[in-house]
Amino acid sequence: MNEKTLLYQITETSKFMMGFVLVTKQNNVIVVDGGRAEDMPLLKEYIGGRHISAWILTHAHGDHISGIVHEFKENGGADFDIEKIYYNMPNYDELMKKTEGEVPDLEYFRRELSNLVGFNSILPMIGDRAHVVEQGETFEVDECKIEVLYTYHDGLYSNLMNDSSVVFMLTTPNKKVLFLGDLGPEGGDVLYEESRDKLKADIVQMAHHGHMNVGMEVYAAIMPEACMWCCADWLYNEPEIPKYLLNREKLRKMQRERMYGTTVTRKWMDILGAKTHYVTKDGTNCIEL
């Protein structure tokens, strides 16, 4: 038994990875994403051989889930004691049927879909531990309650994988923590329209590492006291419009508008009065919930 509920925001050992380990008072674990293969040794240190009651995967990008894919391909995930893996991914086979004109940028769309191949390949090994979550679903792990506020919406194709992120509220007896995954502007619009009355939280995981992410109105609905940024130094301090976002005409053609660097998001959070910032560039953060 532990006296406190502790959330570890794991620092990156690979480029802008995202991984969290929550240890409950009953000494069970909730993992969120986990990063790439090279991030697994550090993640395992914080899991510490404990029982993993829930491993939540937000979406299929490699910096979030290629680590767990690697572990299952290596040894069937034998290094982990996993009870359930929670996720909601787009349907690869159905979406691969999309043709030119049905999506804003077919080449990019199919490249995004390719991220699902690795995850789909390990589903037979996961077996009955797999659980596809639905929007509105709730489940509990010891003193922690998880409510799913958003899952993939068909038709959000311009930023396919990021906008398929599972968004969920983690509630403990003392704190509410909102995880936004890599949700982008369009997905953020849907989240706001459908669930804005449920977004208020003490702590927020900044969507898509704090850049090219949800709009300010989403953060205004959250009004957090603290922000969790999965950012290396270069990303946390990038300009308002980084080089890769300078071609605004190209972004408009791809229907990927309202995308800016972390400087813009950091200004939003200053305006909204967030006082504490946990940033992975500074190392692994331990947050008491």
Side-chain angles (χ1 to χ4, degrees):
M1 297 286 286
N2 304 311
E3 292 184 3
K4 301 173 181 177
T5 308
L6 298 177
L7 177 64
Y8 295 95
Q9 180 191 17
I10 309 299
T11 192
E12 65 272 350
T13 48
S14 74
K15 191 176 181 180
F16 48 73
M17 59 78 72
M18 175 171 140
F20 292 87
V21 174
L22 183 146
V23 181
T24 73
K25 291 181 179 179
Q26 285 71 39
N27 209 35
N28 293 308
V29 161
I30 299 170
V31 177
V32 181
D33 288 350
R36 299 182 174 89
E38 53 265 48
D39 301 302
M40 291 296 99
L42 186 58
L43 190 79
K44 290 175 184 178
E45 284 186 30
Y46 284 93
I47 293 171
R50 298 178 180 90
H51 174 68
I52 301 171
S53 298
W55 194 316
I56 303 171
L57 302 175
T58 60
H59 66 294
H61 274 152
D63 53 320
H64 292 255
I65 72 162
S66 62
I68 190 173
V69 171
H70 167 81
E71 291 292 323
F72 271 91
K73 287 185 175 180
E74 281 285 296
N75 60 15
D79 291 348
F80 302 108
D81 175 21
I82 304 173
E83 183 175 335
K84 286 289 181 184
I85 295 177
Y86 296 85
Y87 65 95
N88 186 312
M89 306 289 185
N91 187 305
Y92 176 85
D93 292 329
E94 286 300 314
L95 291 177
M96 278 298 290
K97 297 175 184 176
K98 297 292 181 184
T99 58
E100 196 75 51
E102 292 184 282
V103 297
D105 186 319
L106 185 61
E107 181 182 355
Y108 175 80
F109 183 78
R110 289 183 172 169
R111 191 163 66 244
E112 284 286 275
L113 281 174
S114 69
N115 288 280
L116 292 166
V117 174
F119 176 72
N120 288 343
S121 72
I122 67 168
L123 282 175
M125 288 177 273
I126 295 174
D128 60 7
R129 291 173 292 181
H131 181 92
V132 178
V133 295
E134 301 295 341
Q135 187 168 315
E137 183 175 348
T138 63
F139 58 95
E140 295 183 6
V141 175
D142 299 332
E143 73 275 17
C144 302
K145 175 184 175 183
I146 291 94
E147 180 179 5
V148 179
L149 301 181
Y150 173 98
T151 59
Y152 168 68
H153 285 59
D154 189 40
L156 296 183
Y157 296 150
S158 63
N159 192 15
L160 175 66
M161 210 54 62
N162 288 338
D163 279 339
S164 74
S165 294
V166 173
V167 173
F168 63 95
M169 184 73 75
L170 166 71
T171 303
T172 73
N174 300 310
K175 296 288 183 182
K176 297 185 76 171
V177 185
L178 184 64
F179 286 84
L180 293 170
D182 271 5
L183 207 63
E186 282 191 281
D189 289 346
V190 176
L191 175 69
Y192 184 78
E193 290 163 7
E194 296 180 345
S195 301
R196 59 184 175 272
D197 58 329
K198 297 181 179 181
L199 298 181
K200 180 70 183 79
D202 302 292
I203 304 170
V204 64
Q205 173 255 314
M206 303 302 289
H208 196 232
H209 314 272
H211 71 161
M212 303 165 66
N213 68 146
V214 301
M216 185 179 179
E217 69 279 1
V218 176
Y219 292 117
I222 301 167
M223 286 300 289
E225 300 168 1
C227 306
M228 300 186 299
W229 305 76
C230 297
C231 290
D233 185 81
W234 68 268
L235 181 55
Y236 190 64
N237 292 296
E238 72 176 352
E240 292 187 4
I241 304 181
K243 289 182 180 179
Y244 55 85
L245 294 177
L246 285 176
N247 190 338
R248 308 307 285 184
E249 182 179 354
K250 179 182 177 182
L251 289 173
R252 282 191 290 272
K253 286 181 180 178
M254 295 175 68
Q255 296 180 20
R256 304 188 76 200
E257 301 174 82
R258 294 183 293 146
M259 290 190 169
Y260 301 95
T262 51
T263 294
V264 172
T265 312
R266 289 175 66 183
K267 287 179 179 178
W268 293 347
M269 305 323 291
D270 287 343
I271 292 168
L272 294 173
K275 300 299 182 186
T276 304
H277 298 276
Y278 302 103
V279 190
T280 54
K281 71 179 180 64
D282 300 323
T284 294
N285 293 295
C286 179
I287 304 167
E288 184 178 333
L289 302 181

